[in-house]
């Protein structure tokens, strides 16, 4: 029988990365999404194209052998597919994991296949599969929990490939960078071993991979996005062409490199080479990657384990330098009321309605006695004072005219 993988989220990384590699590994891919437009497009086509763009030119692959189900309207079908699949992946965004967990829990519960399902969350977050697993357990009957590992195994992953928002007329086709890395924990699969997916680099300990990726690729990407947005730049490549922003990105990466080299078995030479690769990747002018996409969801991005506070907190605990990271946090806090970004509206509200210390706790989740906390409070205070000064100036302007 043909191998089958269920993938939640038919968006950019779903179509342009996960499905591409599942397809190459010989899986039939069943996309699950809640967006009618994507589902209808996937159901009414037999193929779409993934085009890698780089200095070396363009190279296109055709993806076929897929189906699509809308989980909003056809939940029972999704449960049935999961009950007979080998793999479940998702790329829906870390905040959506709780919404896809109930249907996955039901699909796992309905399994009779002796081989456990492999569940791999492909989100930019530390321990995303663990988070999903937690929500799945919350949606499973207590008397079925002990035997769940007979029906499913859960492996965390680190996934890296820049897939910008696509042109409005692109349909299902995706333009992406050539580079990719997909590291997944092998331990959860035990003696039976993990599923055969050639693009995956199976690793015993994922922490160095996910921290190096999140705290280099995503820290630098978000730094360029927030400084770029506040300087009126449209794309990450445009921001990176600005010498001052490029210099700031390098300063930030020096701080995270110090942590990565100190904490993991990665030499400073190796990390420096990695940094140069990442700077070249995010400067890629062939990718029209907007500062709004890369800066999206600022509340998530300034949270405790994320790309700024995650490394800054660890550096503060180790007596390291973190002031450039605080500069990125400040720019992230200035990413407010951005059209189409609900979290940027929520951010503005939190900053308006709370004292600096309370806003710092709510946004970053840092304990008040953490060595980083007073530094973050100072940054929050500065951003709030600027907003107040702008409101006062605006009101005076109205009164005078
Ligand atoms: N784009 C990238 O460069 C990139 C690279 C690595 C990792 N990621 C991560 O992948 C995830 C997705 O990012 P993206 O850029 O593809 O976003 P995207 O917005 O293009 O895709 C997300 C998809 O999830 C779908 N979705 C939302 N709620 C759903 C639900 N309840 N059930 C099923 N589907 C649902 C959306 O309709 C959308 O199609 C994020 O965690 C992101 O951090 C993105
Ligand atoms: O997806 P986010 O919102 O966590 O971060 C935005 C980008 O930095 C991200 O999507 C990168 O393009 C990706 O992580 C590259 O591997």
């Amino acid at each position: 029988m043909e191998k089958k993988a269920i993938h939640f989220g038919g968006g950019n990384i779903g179509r342009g990365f996960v499905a591409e590699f599942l397809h190459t590994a010989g899986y039939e891919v069943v996309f699950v999404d809640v967006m009618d437009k994507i589902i209808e497009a996937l159901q009414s086509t037999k193929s779409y194209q993934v085009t890698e763009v780089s200095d070396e030119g363009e190279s296109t692959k055709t993806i076929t052998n897929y189906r699509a189900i809308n989980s909003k309207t056809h939940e029972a079908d999704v449960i049935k597919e999961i009950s007979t699949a080998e793999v479940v992946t998702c790329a829906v965004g870390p905040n959506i994991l709780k919404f896809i967990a109930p249907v996955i829990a039901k699909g796992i519960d309905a399994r009779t296949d002796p081989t456990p399902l492999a569940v791999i969350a492909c989100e930019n977050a530390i321990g995303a599969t663990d988070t999903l697993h937690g929500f799945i357990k919350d949606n499973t009957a207590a008397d079925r929990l002990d035997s769940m590992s007979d029906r499913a195994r859960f492996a965390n992953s680190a996934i890296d490939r820049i897939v910008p928002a696509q042109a409005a007329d692109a349909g299902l086709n995706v333009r992406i960078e050539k580079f990719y890395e997909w590291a997944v924990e092998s331990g959860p699969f035990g003696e039976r071993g993990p599923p055969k997916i050639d693009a995956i680099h199976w690793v015993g300990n994922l922490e160095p991979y996910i921290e190096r990726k999140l705290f280099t690729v995503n820290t630098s990407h978000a730094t360029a996005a927030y400084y770029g947005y506040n300087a009126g730049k449209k794309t990450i490549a445009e921001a990176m062409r600005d010498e001052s922003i490029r210099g700031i990105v390098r300063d930030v990466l020096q701080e995270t490199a110090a942590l990565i080299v100190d904490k993991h078995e990665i030499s400073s030479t190796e990390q420096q080479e990695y940094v140069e690769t990442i700077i070249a990747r995010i400067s890629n002018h062939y990718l029209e990657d907007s500062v709004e996409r890369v800066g999206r969801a600022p509340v998530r991005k300034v949270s405790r384990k994320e790309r700024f506070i995650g490394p800054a907190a660890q550096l503060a605990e180790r007596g390291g330098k973190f002031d450039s990271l605080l500069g990125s946090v400040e720019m992230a806090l200035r990413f407010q009321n951005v059209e189409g970004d609900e979290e940027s509206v929520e951010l503005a509200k939190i900053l308006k309605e709370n004292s600096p210390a309370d806003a710092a706790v709510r946004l970053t989740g840092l304990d008040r006695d953490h060595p980083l906390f007073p530094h973050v409070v100072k940054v929050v205070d500065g951003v709030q004072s600027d907003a107040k000064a702008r409101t006062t100036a605006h009101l005076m302007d109205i009164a005078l005219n």
Side-chain angles (χ1 to χ4, degrees), residues 124 159-163 213 217-218 221 281 293-294 296 300-301 307:
N124 273 342
I159 186 162
D160 190 6
R161 190 174 218 183
I162 299 175
V163 191
K213 192 266 167 169
V217 181
N218 297 107
H221 218 190
R281 283 177 60 207
R293 181 194 83 82
V294 178
R296 68 184 169 190
R300 165 169 61 91
K301 288 193 168 96
R307 57 208 76 188

Side-chain angles (χ1 to χ4, degrees), residues 86-400:
E86 261 191 35
V87 176
V88 165
T89 51
C90 66
V92 288
N95 297 340
I96 305 291
L97 295 173
K98 55 178 164 300
F99 301 117
I100 64 170
V103 68
I104 301 178
K106 288 179 196 152
I108 290 173
D109 208 55
R111 285 178 75 80
T112 52
D113 194 313
T115 308
L117 177 74
V119 181
I120 305 168
C122 305
E123 315 286 349
N124 273 342
I126 290 176
T129 309
D130 289 343
T131 306
L132 177 63
H133 190 185
F135 291 129
I136 290 173
K137 285 197 248 177
D138 294 344
N139 284 278
T140 301
D143 63 348
R144 297 285 284 162
L145 288 175
D146 280 351
S147 59
M148 194 194 278
S149 72
D150 297 339
R151 293 184 292 282
R153 297 294 169 94
F154 296 84
N156 289 298
S157 84
I159 186 162
D160 190 6
R161 190 174 218 183
I162 299 175
V163 191
Q166 302 296 308
D169 61 355
L172 293 173
N173 298 339
V174 191
R175 285 172 73 80
I176 52 173
E177 66 169 340
K178 191 171 175 188
F179 179 100
Y180 74 85
E181 250 173 31
W182 190 5
V184 184
E185 288 172 329
S186 55
F189 301 101
E191 280 179 10
R192 197 188 289 267
K196 197 170 162 6
I197 302 170
D198 286 342
I200 293 182
H201 175 198
W202 298 101
V203 299
N205 176 16
L206 188 72
E207 197 191 17
Y209 292 89
I210 184 74
E211 287 210 337
R212 186 176 78 148
K213 192 266 167 169
L214 197 65
F215 299 166
T216 311
V217 181
N218 297 107
T219 304
S220 60
H221 218 190
T223 297
Y226 292 130
Y227 274 97
Y229 174 81
N230 287 302
K233 312 286 183 196
K234 296 274 174 279
T235 66
I236 299 299
E238 190 191 339
M240 289 300 285
R241 277 198 297 276
D242 182 312
E243 280 306 317
S244 113
I245 297 179
R246 203 178 173 83
I248 290 165
V249 168
R250 281 196 174 279
D251 291 345
V252 168
L253 287 183
Q254 258 191 359
E255 292 179 358
T256 59
L259 173 69
I260 288 158
V261 169
D262 189 33
K263 188 171 170 190
H264 302 297
E265 279 174 15
I266 295 172
S267 71
S268 52
T269 313
E270 194 189 331
Q271 177 62 14
Q272 197 47 44
E273 280 168 16
Y274 184 71
V275 163
E276 294 308 325
T277 306
I278 303 315
I279 289 185
R281 283 177 60 207
I282 67 172
S283 306
N284 182 350
H285 58 276
Y286 295 100
L287 296 175
E288 281 280 304
D289 208 359
S290 72
V291 292
E292 287 85 1
R293 181 194 83 82
V294 178
R296 68 184 169 190
V299 174
R300 165 169 61 91
K301 288 193 168 96
V302 297
S303 66
R304 183 65 177 87
K305 289 187 191 164
E306 264 283 345
R307 57 208 76 188
F308 299 136
I309 300 296
Q314 296 188 56
L315 284 161
E317 287 158 19
R318 289 160 185 258
K321 182 176 166 303
F322 51 80
D323 41 321
S324 299
L325 281 161
L326 284 177
S328 305
V329 172
E330 179 187 333
M331 289 298 132
L333 297 181
R334 295 183 189 280
F335 189 83
Q336 296 179 21
N337 298 316
V338 176
E339 202 186 330
D341 191 317
E342 283 174 23
E343 281 195 19
S344 71
V345 178
E346 187 192 341
L347 171 65
K349 196 163 179 284
I350 293 172
L351 288 170
K352 195 167 175 208
E353 293 176 355
N354 290 277
S355 69
D358 288 349
V361 170
R362 268 195 72 177
L363 290 166
T364 67
L366 281 164
D367 289 336
R368 286 173 196 262
D369 59 359
H370 191 280
L372 185 65
F373 188 70
H375 301 276
V376 173
V377 173
K378 209 166 146 203
V379 169
V380 172
D381 192 20
V383 174
Q384 288 175 322
S385 303
D386 284 355
K388 276 184 205 138
R390 271 200 308 278
T391 309
T392 311
H394 181 63
L395 290 175
M396 280 175 65
D397 230 26
I398 293 172
L400 290 172

